[in-house]
Every structure is written in structure tokens, then in C-alpha cells.
Amino acid sequence: MKGRLLTTLLISMATVISQGQDADILKYVNPFIGTDKMGHTYPGATVPFGMVQLSPDTDTIPYEVNGAYNRDVYKYCAGYQYADRTIVGFSHTHFSGTGHSDLGDILLMPATGPLQLNPGTADAPEKGYRSRFSHSNENASPGYYSVLLEDHDIFAELTATARTGVHRYTFNKGGDSHVILDMVHGIYNDAGKNVWTFIRVENDTLVTGYRQTSGWARTRSIHFAIAFSKPFTSYGFRDDSPARVYRGFWRRFDQRTNFPEAAGRNIRGYFDFHTEPGEQIIVRVAISPVSSAGAMANMIAEAPRADFETVRFSAEASWRKELGKVKVSMVNEGQMTSFYTSLYHTFLSPTVYTDDDGSYRGLDQNIHLAGGFTNYTTFSLWDTYRALHPLFTIIQQRRTADMINSMLAHYDQSVHHMLPVWSHHANENWCMTGYHSVPVIADAIIKKIEGFNYDRALNSCITTARNGWYDGLDDYMKLGYVPDDRTGSSVSVTLEYAYDDWCISQIAGTEDLKREFAERSRNYMNVWDPATGFMRPRKRNGSFREAFDVLSTHGQGFIEGNAWNYSLYVPHDPAELIRLHGGKKRFTEHLDSLFTMYLPDSFFADTEDITREGIIGNYVHGNEPSHHVPYLYNHAGAPRKTQYWVRHIMDQKYLPAPDGLSGNDDCGQMSAWYIFSALGFYPVAPGSDRYDLGSPLVKEAEIFLENGKTFTVTAVNQGPENIFVRKAELNGTRLDRLWITHDEIMQGGQLVFHMGR
Amino acid sequence: MKGRLLTTLLISMATVISQGQDADILKYVNPFIGTDKMGHTYPGATVPFGMVQLSPDTDTIPYEVNGAYNRDVYKYCAGYQYADRTIVGFSHTHFSGTGHSDLGDILLMPATGPLQLNPGTADAPEKGYRSRFSHSNENASPGYYSVLLEDHDIFAELTATARTGVHRYTFNKGGDSHVILDMVHGIYNDAGKNVWTFIRVENDTLVTGYRQTSGWARTRSIHFAIAFSKPFTSYGFRDDSPARVYRGFWRRFDQRTNFPEAAGRNIRGYFDFHTEPGEQIIVRVAISPVSSAGAMANMIAEAPRADFETVRFSAEASWRKELGKVKVSMVNEGQMTSFYTSLYHTFLSPTVYTDDDGSYRGLDQNIHLAGGFTNYTTFSLWDTYRALHPLFTIIQQRRTADMINSMLAHYDQSVHHMLPVWSHHANENWCMTGYHSVPVIADAIIKKIEGFNYDRALNSCITTARNGWYDGLDDYMKLGYVPDDRTGSSVSVTLEYAYDDWCISQIAGTEDLKREFAERSRNYMNVWDPATGFMRPRKRNGSFREAFDVLSTHGQGFIEGNAWNYSLYVPHDPAELIRLHGGKKRFTEHLDSLFTMYLPDSFFADTEDITREGIIGNYVHGNEPSHHVPYLYNHAGAPRKTQYWVRHIMDQKYLPAPDGLSGNDDCGQMSAWYIFSALGFYPVAPGSDRYDLGSPLVKEAEIFLENGKTFTVTAVNQGPENIFVRKAELNGTRLDRLWITHDEIMQGGQLVFHMGR
């Protein structure tokens, strides 16, 4: 075995060397970016779009404190907060950048000394199994995480395949050692969240089971298989809040110790080992949406041996491959880190949700076999249709087809006849507004992405858009807008429906359909109030609501935004929006006001998740509805202002530090905005084939396309002061327009920006 | 459609007529027998060994009342008590004759008038959806049940296929009508029993979902598909004790009315119809252990149309086929009813636990495909190894192989490496003692049942019997008995292990194994106390326990029996038992005492489930450990006493009336005792090929064997006074022994008893 290990290492090294400079890409990824405060990213180990996100959780957060919602739940959406000083353990599923929380399944924690089966508290970690740690003893890179658990003197390392997390624990001092398996732990913790857990100790190295929860996803289950590299000497389970069960003849058994089946709502378990000083134990944890047998098969397919290094090597190789799709040079290392960490964050979700054999749990809770595609979940579409999925149409085309096929499967299984709003581990959690699978699908069709059935996709879009029961759609179809009497976010919803409908009109096959949805796409006009110059809540009787505070983010007809930000949400028809505003000059002044106005302190006191540092004037980059806004200057004949503000945002809101993100990364949307903007262009209206030009941050970029071609971006005379584009050339020809098309990128070629002050 | 219905009816009638006299068998089955008091049978509709047992439940029984166990739970093991005057509804799963309770899944109840979503109470049925009913408007026969629901003026009829229950509701007065779907209801009811329920309204006639519970089976799920013959006009769901869930964007929806997905712990729903007077609605409910997709496929395979009559006809045909395997004539109609109702009860369980496509949920909660066999569950083996499974070795040979293959699959999936103790819908509920899959397997091997792997079966028996962790087995293997210090039922357990071990010795392949288990089979001697003449609890130090009450059923080292009854439990070695008792004469006197002694009233006050009417002297027929005891007289040279007592028991303890059973039918064991005894022979020690002769109750019986041969029993000069056998002849030759062998039955032939006073 030693010989084999050496060979593997030599091959690994040879490959690294032969890959030359590309190997360095990984050093520009700092998984800690966004882990402090509001980014809601996690620092743990995962592979691109992997089902497993194996990451440390730094606290246990109850959903309620004293009967009221605990606002800390929001802080811990990804389980980790950089300011914390203790680690509870390592769990296998994490969302990246979401604003609601769930997952955190199957927490493992190595420990030494007397057994403790409760997590303890941040204040008194010694009273539980958790441990103090220090960032100076912590490392994270793509596919790898390590930390010294000080209380136990255990060095813990994590890596992963797509469906298997691999832990390597080095017991520095050895002695009485344990691995805790906490099935209660989750993001967030709540005695009522677990629905059921089931654990089998198959033999002295293998444990299987599942965890079922009802949280943000109402009916969720995750199955697992855990393989230890060393036999445990004993084990046990406790259910601190056991469900009432008909105990009957179970009473004959001591179920607490070495009893190989445990089932109940809130189970914590342990596995005992005696370790020598410096001894390592490797634990592989495979998961499956289907069954523990599926998890076991995933482990056998992906990590058949307890070989940490091979898995880590493979994880790093897969990151090099994906991150290598865009090769950039930038002015400084900090920008390199921001760029590649952003690219890393864009490749974290959606996540694979098929077993190795192609089976997965559907929205109907039945098991389906994915025919010819990989099924994905974690579609945070209200966020990600804007820039993440458009980015994928350039550098993840095959996955784009898989993702759309996943959406269509979701639609087929939906008892609501709806494309996903927020697809969440075989659940629809209905998060946010609109039907933004539609722009993803329309964008892919317009951009000629192959691998899914366009007719089937179009039909699912149309059916979705005609679902009268959904969030005011019946009123919208009748009145042309969602009335304020109906819902508190009537304006946001109306604007988003109008845009989504425009997307359908772009792919509609018949004139009737084109006309129907083109008409609907103009519905944004129905909430335009010329008197105030804002989109405004309108009542069922046609009149605008009297009370209207254009600054407030509460109760004004908007969601995650105020009238200032949301009123600019007509991405598909900026020309008409500008006309409504009274022309380009007045519109430009309006945008100037947005970016430069000074907000009263009361605004920040009232608004969750928005701080004065997080915004620019009244422009909120941390929430998505404004992401296209800086590019609207282009349409008002003021491209220098687009260039100014996008550079400003890149400089100010994406810092290469744990607290560097100005808002939740939102499953990669924030990062995708950065990638596009850094490359010098941005998809203002997905569903069109155009990308608006901005001001590139890169000095040079090569985008290696799946069709074998390369599209390069060069910023001549790039520099921190040279933020304005003097001219742009495409394949040597000066551009007389402020956009490029998708086809132009796909054909390969050169986009050259000449920069200046 | 009318034409087709008429054709179906004509075909049905023609078939009935062509079957001639056999059709009458069904009239001798009275499914109400055992539904009063302690029989714990259910009167509803099922097919032989069917997965669906669709039957009325007459009350809702909480597991606890005022914080204490509710003894009524015991009364309602089958959901129905004959004395009740209201019906709550019709649920789809029921155990037949068990002494613990579970199931009662997916309760439907038709109703008229204003919607009520609670079941109401027996005292005030009008305050809920339940209804008064009268036995005069109630009918039950194999595969069919009907009742007039008086409060709603609805005539409800039930029938079933193997996996689909079919309801036909005639709304006599019509008007506002509903079908209630109560997912909370179960046998028993308890807010903590439901783990999760999930419901989808697929369209206006189809509803799917599942129910997950933790009760007697700790981790159980059942999936369903419900098809209505008429579209409902509206529907809704309520969760009276909702689990805490992250409601988020669900708040936008009115989930109470016409919202097609419901999930939670305690959901009740309704479906609204307008009905004309006399209108019928047919509801098909298919179930599956696997998934709602599996349930749907089961329905399509078994009941593709809403055609009640065809399903009923088919159910009745399957009962005619199974019951027709034994054709008897008896002295009176009451005996005919007792016989065929008993035979009916023996064919209710074990129950099919594979979907139509062969897939099923295993003990490991994974989905398995049964390769080449039908998987069964509901093995109440402590009861049924005694006579039910031996009966199946004669008249259900193919199913016996399937059942053993099911046990072996259970063993393969068992994390405990145990054959089933009590196999319960993909759970082991551990009910009762011993490892009595072993005698079922040994009996089948000894009797040359084909269709399972003998080596694999033997190995599973041996591994099971060597599982030291199980219920004192380690001590048993070390000390030769289970010490009283270890468990409260040490004597019962020791005696049962010894018998089970003898079974292994009969099929063991090597001399070493034969010796090992033959030695273990003599362990019963280690708890024999010559001083008292009883089996007696023995302590770890070898001494007998001082305090010892041979009458008490509590804390004396026995379970479901006292020393008088259990001390005779050496079925595999009556000769040695008789020797221990001091010879045949003293043993006969001992048995005489058992059957004739007069017990103090205090005995009955202390003992659950045993009444003075239920026992004979101190002989308790309602509990299984004595079932072989009347036949022990044969071994003591007193066959007339065997003949006397078995006739007495048949006459007194099996009456053709709802309260006709003297104890729980125990999944058919009580009934199987009757079938054997009525035929004139009984398997005292399954695992041997012998059947002890008793006193037949039949005048004439033909047993149609699966090998095409017929074995007939004739009782010449049969009559109520002629209970003694003057001589017996097998194939014309006078028998000089008190037994026949299995081979003699299988070869076909004639057993003639000459009866006299």
C-alpha cells in the first residue's frame, strides 16, 4: 500500500507540474471571502456543483428564542461566521450565500477525552463536544479545508467528491477518542425541525441512515453512508426528546450502547476509538437524495477507499479545470483573488441532485431516473437568472442544458404545474417572486444552447405564466397589474411578471403567443405613476395608493428594495423606461440621484441586511433588483457613468477579505455580476442575445469555450485610474455600439478595450 | 357502459353458476366472528393475504388518557368493536387478531350536510363526521362489506384487490356531499404517532401521498393513490397541530382550500361533491410500501376502472379458490360457519408486501426488488409457528416458500443478523420471545417444501440462534438457561429456545451442528424443578428462585402464561417431559388437574385478557403456549382424553358468533388450531413430520393439495356425542399409532376415523 501511495503522489505531482501555471489558479481562491457578516458563504470543501458541501459550522442556532424568531438564524445561513471562535463540527450540506437557512446535515465532530454528547456553547465550549479554534490554524482552498481543534488537539481536514465528504482527523495526542454523529444539528437547530432520523450500524466501520426535516424545505430527506478507516470499539445513541413510541418489547434491549439501529426525532450518537498519538482516522460520508443504498453506491463509485490525498487531488483537479475556463491577468493580486473567488462562488450551485446511477427524488417525493441528464437542485432563481445563468450560457453550456432539463423535470412533477421558483432538494420553497425559470430557459433558447427540448420548455413557460392561482397572476392577467389590495409586493411582482413575459414573447412559436406575451410584457407601464416618477402600488379600482414612501423598503409594494431601486426594473425595455422618465437627460439625472443621494439614518435602522457601507447613495448592490441599473446609463447615452459606477462597485463592494461581500452572495449571483463586469460586459436583459459593455477590470482575459474556441478580452492601458473606455474593438473593428452579442462571443475572437481617464 | 356492465354481470353469474356448489362456501364465512370483545378480528373487505384490509373503524382511541396508558387501546387492535354504535370511517390496513395495535391507515368517510373535519365522539356522533350505524343494516362476507351510515343516509360498500381498496358510496338523499380523508386517524390515535404525512391533489379525481408513523412499528410508511369516479368540486386540508415550519413565502397562499399539496404531521382533508339522490361515487385507494408512484401502478394493474362489481366478483372468486382447498361437511351449519370462518381467518395474514412490480421496502428502509418471490410481512411468529405455518405446509405450499424467502430477505437486511421475530411492514417490532422463524423454516425443510435455498435458510437459523446479544441468549449459551436475574420471562424464553434449537438440530447438515443444537434442545431440563414439578425461574448462581407462585401470570418467569401452562412447553420431547413428571400416570393426573382445577377469583382480577369463560380449569386456550397441551395426553397413553378435550375446546371456544373466539385470533393461529383439530390431527412439534391424531369434528373433508392429489378425512358415525375415536384407518389399513406423517397426507389418500361414545 505504501508503494501505491507513493506512486499516486508522484503521478499527482507530475500532473501538477505538467499543468504548469494553471495550477496557480487555486491560490487565488479564498473560500473565506464572504464568511464574515453578510456574505453567507461557507469555507468548507466541495467540488464544482457538488452535492456535498462539507464545511465547519461555528454555532448552533435555535429558530426561536423566548418564543420569538431568532434574528441570528439569518447570520448563520451557511453555518459559519468568521468572527466565531468555536467549531461545533463538520456537516455535509450548505447553501452558498442564501438569505434563508436550511441544511447542515449529518454533523460529525472528532473529540478526545470524556464523552460529551451535547454541542456546548460558544461561551463554554468545554461543556460540550465543540472546540475552540483559531484562524491562524485554519486553511481553506478549493476542495480542501483544515483546522486545528484546540480543545481536542485534533487536526481536522476535509475534502470531497461530488457526493462524498472525506474527513481526515489526526489525533495529535491520542488516547480515548470519539467521533460524534449529531443528527439534531442543522442550520438552524430546532427541536421541531427534525421529522425523523434513522441510523444503522452495519458493522464496526460502516453506518447508514437518513435525516428527514421540515424547515425551509417542508418535506426533505437526506440519506447517508459513513465509512470509518478504523473499526470503532463501541458506540451509542441518545434521543434527548424521544418521540412517543409503542416501546413494547424494545424494553428488553439497552438501546443506548452498541445497539445497531436507532430511530427517532433527535438523535445524537458517538463512536469510540483508542488512538495512538498522531494517528489518523479517515471518515468518508456519502449522501444521496434517494436512499442509504444510493449513498453507499455513491461512495463506492467515487471514493472506494479511505484515501484522502487521492480525493483531494481529484477535487483540486476538478476546480483547476472549471476555474481554468477563464484565464485572467489583473492589476494586482487582490483583484486576482476577487476574480477567482467570485468564479469559485459561481460554480457552487445549483448542485447535483442525482445519485451516481442517475436516480433522484422528485418533487412528488417519488424516485425518478434522470434520462440523459444530470438532475440539479438549489435553484435560487429570483437571484440567479440575472447574471449567474447567463454566465453559464457562456462557460457552462452543457450544465445549462442539464439545469434546464432539471427545471423541466421539476415542472413535470409539480402538482402546481409550475417551473421552479426556488428548487430546494425535491421541494419548492416558493422563495421570492416571479417565475424566473422563464428567463433562464428563454436565454438558453435565444443563445442556442443545445440539449433540451425547446417546445417542451416553451410549453412549460407558458403554462407557468398562466397559473392564475399563483401570487396574483389571475389579477395580473385580468387587470394588467397585480393590485396593491392583493399582495404587499404588488409592484415588484408586476414588474417581474412583465419582464418574464417579455422573455416568453422572445421564444414564442406563434404570432398569437408572441402577441399575448408581448402585450403582457408592457404591463410595467400600468404601475408607472407619472406624477411621482416612480412605479407605485395601484389598487384594484385603478387608482394609485395614496400613502407612498419612495425610500421605505417596507409595505410600499416592493420586496427587497424600495421604489427608487425597483422602479428601474424594466430590463427588457430601457428605451421606454427612459421615455417615461422624460428622456435621456432626466433619466440620467434620476440615476445620478440614486447613486449619490444621502439617506437618513432612519432608513438603516428600519432595513434588515442593509448598512450604510453596503450601499452607494440609495443604490443597493447587496440586493439583486438593481444589478442591471449601472448599465442603464448606457441606454441614456451616458456610458461613462456606467463605466464609472461598475468600476466603483467592483472596487468597493468586492474586497478580497472575509467581510468583502456587501450582501449575501445569493448562490453565486453577486459573484456572477462581478465576473461579467470584470470582463467588461453584462447581460442587462437575459432572454436577449446582447451583453452591455461596461468597464473591464481585467488586463487580459481568455475565455475557453466548450466549442473549442477562445474569446479574449484585452484592456489596453488598464489601471486603477483608467476606468473609462476610450474605444472598443471587436476582432480589430471598432465598435460603434455599446454591446456585443452572444454569437460574437461564441465565435471566439478578441474584444479590446482602450482604457483611459 | 351500461352494456359492458350487463355483460360483466352476466359473465359473473354464469361463472357462479358453473362453479355450482362451491359458490356456497362464502356463505359459511362470517367475518363478524371475533369482532366482539377479545377476538380482535375485523369485518371489512380483503382478499387472501391481501396488502389492503379495508374495514370500518368504530372509534378513535387515544394511546394515553390523563397521561396513563389507555387500556382501550387493546380492545381496538383491529379498529372495530361489535358493541359500538358508530363508525368513524373506513381505513385500509388492519391486523387480524393481534394483541398490540397499529395500522388503520388512510381513513375515508363519506358524509353529507355541513362539513365537519373532526371525527366526533361515540356519545355525540353528530358533532363530527362519524355516523351511527346498526348491525341490521350491516353485511360482511369474504371480499365485501356494507353498512348504512345513518347520520348521512349513505350506503357504503367496500371491496378490495390485493393492493387496492374499492369503496362505493350511495348518497341516498344527495345534496352537499363530502369524502373525508383523515390522515391523523390510526389504530390507535395519538398526536405523537404520526411522523409525517404528505398529500398531493394531482387533479380533480386523483390524490396521492403517504403517511409515516412511529408506533408499534417504529419507522413505518405507507404510500397511497386515491381515485374518485366523479370529479370533486373543491377540497381542503387542515393541520390541527402543525409542525413548526419555516413558512416563508408559503404565507402568500391560502393552503386551506384548493391548494394541491399538503404536508405536516396531523392533516385532515375533505373533497366536496354535489350528488343527486341515489348517486354513487366509487373511490379506489391503492397502497404501496414503496411510493405513491408504486401505489398508482398497483391501482392501474389491479383496478384500472371504477368498477366495483368486477373487483368484488374477483375478490369473491379468489376467496372461493382459497377456501375451496378444503371441502368439508359437518354436523350442523354452525360448525360449517366456524370451520370456514376459521379457514378465512388463517388466510388473512401474513400479508403481501411487494408492489405489483415486485419492489418493496426492506428492513433497512431501502427499496428492494423481490427476485422470484412475493415478499410478505405481518409475521406474528410466536403465535403462528405453532399451527398456522404448519397448515400452510399442507394447503399453501407455494406461499410457504414465498414466506420463507421473505424471512430470509428480512434476515439479509437485518442489521441484527436475525430472522424475523415479528415482521411488521419493513420493521422488526420484537414482539414476544424466542426465534420462531426457525421452526417455520425447519418444518418446511423437513416437509420438503420447494422454492427456497435450504443452505441459506439453515445458515440464517444458526446465526440467529447464536446472537448472544438477543434476550439472554449469551447466558443461555453459557449457562444452559436464561437466568431469572436477567429477564422477567426467563423460563418461557429458555423453553422456547430449547424447542427452536431442536428444530435446528433436525435440519443441521453436519454432525457438529446436530450435536450442538441437540444439546441445546435439552436445556429445558435446566429449569425443571423436581421439587415442585414445574418449570421454575433459576438464578444465575444455579439456585431456583425462592418466591414462586405457580398460578400467577405476573413476574414468575413466564410471559402470557403461568407455570401450570408454560411448564408443559416441551413439544419436541414429550416422553422426557413425562419422565420428569414421574411417568405417564402422574403426568396424566397433572394434565387432568390443569383442565379441571378451580381458580380463585383473584386470578382473573389480576390477569388481562383472561376471563373465567375464556379458560377451562387453568388451561388457557386464548394464549398460545398451551395449544399443544390437549394432544399431550396421547403421549401419556390417554388418547381418549386428548379426544375429549379437543372436542370440548372446539365446541366451547369457537362459536359462530361475533363473541365466539375465546382470545385474540393472533393472525390466524387460533383459527389454524381449529382447522387442524377439526380435521382430526395437529402438529404438536413443527419441525417434525408428524401430526398427532385427535378427534375430528368434520364428517367428511377433502383437502385438495397443490400436487394435484386429494387427502380425505372421514369420520364414520360422527355426531355431537360420538367424540371418541374407536379406530382410525389410513388408506384402508388400521393405524396402530396416534399420528400420521406429512408424507402420508401429501401422497393423497383416505384417513377414516370410526367415532363412538
Side-chain angles (χ1 to χ4, degrees), chain A residues 441-685:
Chain A
I441 289 171
D443 201 43
I445 291 177
I446 291 294
K447 293 176 180 172
K448 307 186 189 71
I449 302 291
E450 290 173 10
F452 65 98
N453 184 307
Y454 286 9
D455 287 340
R456 183 180 160 216
L458 173 64
N459 287 335
S460 70
C461 290
I462 292 168
T463 304
T464 297
R466 286 178 178 161
N467 257 321
W469 67 271
Y470 175 71
D471 205 14
L473 252 181
D474 47 0
D475 279 332
Y476 172 84
M477 290 189 283
K478 213 159 29 187
L479 305 172
Y481 60 96
V482 178
D484 181 56
D485 331 39
R486 180 70 177 273
T487 163
S489 46
S490 63
V491 184
S492 292
V493 168
T494 300
L495 296 175
E496 292 180 10
Y497 290 165
Y499 161 69
D500 290 341
D501 291 342
W502 173 81
C503 288
I504 296 177
S505 76
Q506 298 303 294
I507 57 170
T510 68
E511 287 310 311
D512 281 354
L513 280 174
K514 274 187 207 301
R515 195 178 314 113
E516 174 185 346
F517 284 94
E519 273 172 24
R520 288 171 55 147
S521 78
R522 289 185 285 275
N523 281 341
Y524 67 89
M525 295 184 196
N526 297 331
V527 288
W528 172 254
D529 173 25
T532 59
F534 289 96
M535 303 292 179
R536 182 170 182 176
R538 195 166 172 185
K539 293 197 285 190
R540 189 178 293 281
N541 65 15
S543 66
F544 287 108
R545 194 175 76 175
E546 294 266 328
F548 185 42
D549 176 347
V550 296
L551 283 182
S552 172
T553 57
H554 294 292
Q556 303 302 317
F558 303 97
I559 184 166
E560 285 202 22
N562 58 16
W564 268 96
N565 281 277
Y566 239 116
S567 292
L568 297 165
Y569 192 77
V570 190
H572 54 296
D573 202 355
E576 181 61 22
L577 178 68
I578 290 166
R579 199 191 61 73
L580 291 173
H581 271 268
K584 292 183 175 180
K585 182 164 173 298
R586 294 197 46 188
F587 185 72
T588 300
E589 288 164 3
H590 182 79
L591 292 184
D592 289 347
S593 297
L594 173 72
F595 280 100
T596 57
M597 67 194 294
Y598 190 83
L599 289 175
D601 287 341
S602 61
F603 176 84
F604 299 97
D606 278 3
T607 310
E608 193 181 38
D609 182 27
I610 295 180
T611 59
R612 198 176 283 285
E613 302 79 50
I615 73 174
I616 301 168
N618 186 6
Y619 171 84
V620 182
H621 193 70
N623 284 331
E624 275 70 10
S626 304
H627 274 189
H628 66 298
V629 169
Y631 289 93
L632 291 181
Y633 278 116
N634 272 1
H635 298 258
R640 280 176 65 91
K641 294 194 173 182
T642 288
Q643 293 155 22
Y644 175 83
W645 287 114
V646 299
R647 285 293 283 257
H648 182 89
I649 295 165
M650 285 190 274
D651 285 347
Q652 301 289 317
K653 304 303 174 196
Y654 294 86
L655 303 175
D659 64 350
L661 295 185
S662 65
N664 309 151
D665 196 56
D666 286 321
C667 292
Q669 166 59 25
M670 286 281 281
S671 290
W673 188 95
Y674 182 87
I675 297 297
F676 267 123
S677 296
L679 292 171
F681 51 93
Y682 187 84
V684 167

Side-chain angles (χ1 to χ4, degrees), chain A residues 8-260:
Chain A
T8 307
L9 281 174
L10 287 173
I11 293 170
S12 307
M13 288 169 65
T15 315
V16 169
I17 291 160
S18 76
Q19 286 182 338
Q21 217 179 320
D22 286 356
D24 292 332
I25 284 183
L26 298 195
K27 85 172 185 190
Y28 294 119
V29 177
N30 177 3
F32 291 111
I33 292 177
T35 62
D36 200 6
K37 299 181 184 152
M38 297 309 179
H40 294 185
T41 55
Y42 60 82
T46 187
V47 296
F49 308 98
M51 183 187 286
V52 160
Q53 305 88 28
L54 173 54
S55 190
D57 295 331
T58 58
D59 215 340
T60 59
I61 304 300
Y63 188 67
E64 287 184 349
V65 171
N66 299 328
Y69 170 71
N70 176 13
R71 289 176 71 119
D72 275 353
V73 166
Y74 179 74
K75 260 173 80 182
Y76 285 88
C77 287
Y80 184 98
Q81 273 291 343
Y82 195 79
D84 287 345
R85 289 295 161 257
T86 64
I87 281 176
V88 178
F90 309 106
S91 69
H92 292 78
T93 53
H94 294 84
F95 287 138
S96 179
T98 56
H100 289 264
S101 60
D102 203 349
L103 312 185
D105 301 296
I106 313 156
L107 182 119
L108 291 190
M109 179 67 173
T112 54
L115 176 67
Q116 300 202 82
L117 260 186
N118 73 84
T121 60
D123 293 341
E126 66 283 356
K127 290 187 178 159
Y129 60 70
R130 81 168 74 192
S131 173
R132 292 175 189 83
F133 77 108
S134 152
H135 295 306
S136 59
N137 292 317
E138 189 190 30
N139 278 290
S141 56
Y144 179 78
Y145 171 90
S146 70
V147 67
L148 179 69
L149 300 168
E150 295 168 5
D151 290 54
H152 305 299
D153 201 2
I154 293 168
F155 183 61
E157 297 170 280
L158 312 175
T159 188
T161 68
R163 300 167 181 89
T164 306
V166 183
H167 310 233
R168 180 164 64 186
Y169 303 140
T170 304
F171 294 82
N172 291 332
K173 68 178 182 216
D176 281 347
S177 307
H178 325 279
V179 175
I180 306 297
L181 169 61
D182 191 334
M183 302 289 285
V184 183
H185 179 89
I187 301 172
Y188 51 96
N189 287 313
D190 183 338
K193 186 176 182 184
N194 269 17
V195 167
W196 200 246
T197 62
F198 182 80
I199 305 172
R200 280 162 59 103
V201 181
E202 306 281 352
N203 57 47
D204 61 4
T205 59
L206 181 64
V207 181
T208 63
Y210 63 82
R211 177 180 191 232
Q212 233 180 313
T213 60
S214 182
W216 192 18
R218 192 163 66 173
T219 301
R220 191 175 70 91
S221 66
I222 183 164
H223 305 255
F224 63 86
I226 305 175
F228 294 90
S229 63
K230 172 178 177 155
F232 37 83
T233 55
S234 59
Y235 61 91
F237 302 101
R238 307 281 183 274
D239 190 345
D240 289 331
S241 50
R244 177 181 304 140
V245 291
Y246 207 111
R247 288 174 59 221
F249 285 83
W250 290 90
R251 271 178 281 228
R252 287 178 296 184
F253 311 129
D254 172 10
Q255 291 183 63
R256 293 166 64 88
T257 308
N258 298 330
F259 192 83

Side-chain angles (χ1 to χ4, degrees), chain A residues 190 212 252 255 430 471, chain B residues 212 218 244 252 255 430:
Chain A
D190 183 338
Q212 233 180 313
R252 287 178 296 184
Q255 291 183 63
W430 301 112
D471 205 14
Chain B
Q212 234 179 312
R218 192 163 66 173
R244 177 181 306 140
R252 286 178 297 185
Q255 291 182 62
W430 301 113

Side-chain angles (χ1 to χ4, degrees), chain A residues 367-403:
Chain A
I367 303 307
H368 299 261
L369 194 64
F373 71 101
T374 297
N375 189 55
Y376 283 82
T377 188
T378 311
F379 290 103
S380 184
L381 288 157
W382 182 86
D383 301 298
T384 56
Y385 78 88
R386 301 166 201 264
L388 183 73
H389 287 284
L391 180 65
F392 291 168
T393 65
I394 301 172
I395 55 175
Q396 297 288 356
Q397 291 195 322
R398 277 188 289 267
R399 282 195 172 92
T400 293
D402 280 344
M403 289 172 192

Side-chain angles (χ1 to χ4, degrees), chain B residues 449-605:
Chain B
I449 302 292
E450 290 172 9
F452 66 98
N453 184 308
Y454 286 9
D455 287 339
R456 182 179 161 216
L458 172 63
N459 286 336
S460 71
C461 290
I462 292 168
T463 304
T464 297
R466 286 178 178 163
N467 257 323
W469 67 272
Y470 175 70
D471 205 14
L473 252 180
D474 47 0
D475 278 333
Y476 172 84
M477 290 189 284
K478 212 159 31 188
L479 305 172
Y481 60 96
V482 178
D484 181 55
D485 332 40
R486 179 71 177 272
T487 162
S489 45
S490 63
V491 184
S492 292
V493 167
T494 300
L495 297 175
E496 292 180 11
Y497 289 165
Y499 161 69
D500 290 342
D501 291 342
W502 173 80
C503 288
I504 295 177
S505 76
Q506 299 303 293
I507 57 170
T510 68
E511 286 311 310
D512 281 354
L513 280 174
K514 273 188 209 298
R515 195 178 314 114
E516 173 185 348
F517 284 96
E519 273 171 25
R520 286 170 57 148
S521 79
R522 289 186 285 276
N523 280 341
Y524 67 89
M525 295 184 194
N526 297 331
V527 288
W528 173 254
D529 173 25
T532 58
F534 289 96
M535 304 292 179
R536 183 171 182 176
R538 196 166 172 186
K539 293 198 284 190
R540 189 179 293 280
N541 65 16
S543 66
F544 287 109
R545 193 174 75 175
E546 292 268 327
F548 186 41
D549 176 346
V550 296
L551 284 181
S552 172
T553 57
H554 295 292
Q556 303 302 315
F558 303 97
I559 185 166
E560 285 202 21
N562 58 15
W564 267 96
N565 282 277
Y566 239 116
S567 292
L568 297 164
Y569 193 77
V570 189
H572 54 296
D573 202 355
E576 181 61 20
L577 178 68
I578 290 166
R579 198 191 63 73
L580 291 174
H581 272 267
K584 291 184 175 181
K585 181 163 175 298
R586 293 198 46 191
F587 185 72
T588 299
E589 288 164 3
H590 181 79
L591 291 184
D592 290 346
S593 298
L594 173 73
F595 279 102
T596 57
M597 68 195 293
Y598 189 84
L599 289 176
D601 287 340
S602 62
F603 176 84
F604 298 98

Side-chain angles (χ1 to χ4, degrees), chain A residues 424-445:
Chain A
H424 180 162
H425 287 217
N427 279 255
E428 172 56 80
N429 72 27
W430 301 112
C431 190
M432 297 304 284
T433 46
Y435 30 88
H436 302 307
S437 289
V438 164
V440 175
I441 289 171
D443 201 43
I445 291 177

Side-chain angles (χ1 to χ4, degrees), chain B residues 15 36 63 86 99 175 239 335 358 366 400 446 525 530 582 614 630:
Chain B
T15 315
D36 201 5
Y63 187 68
T86 64
D239 189 345
Q335 287 176 355
N366 285 312
T400 293
I446 291 295
M525 295 184 194

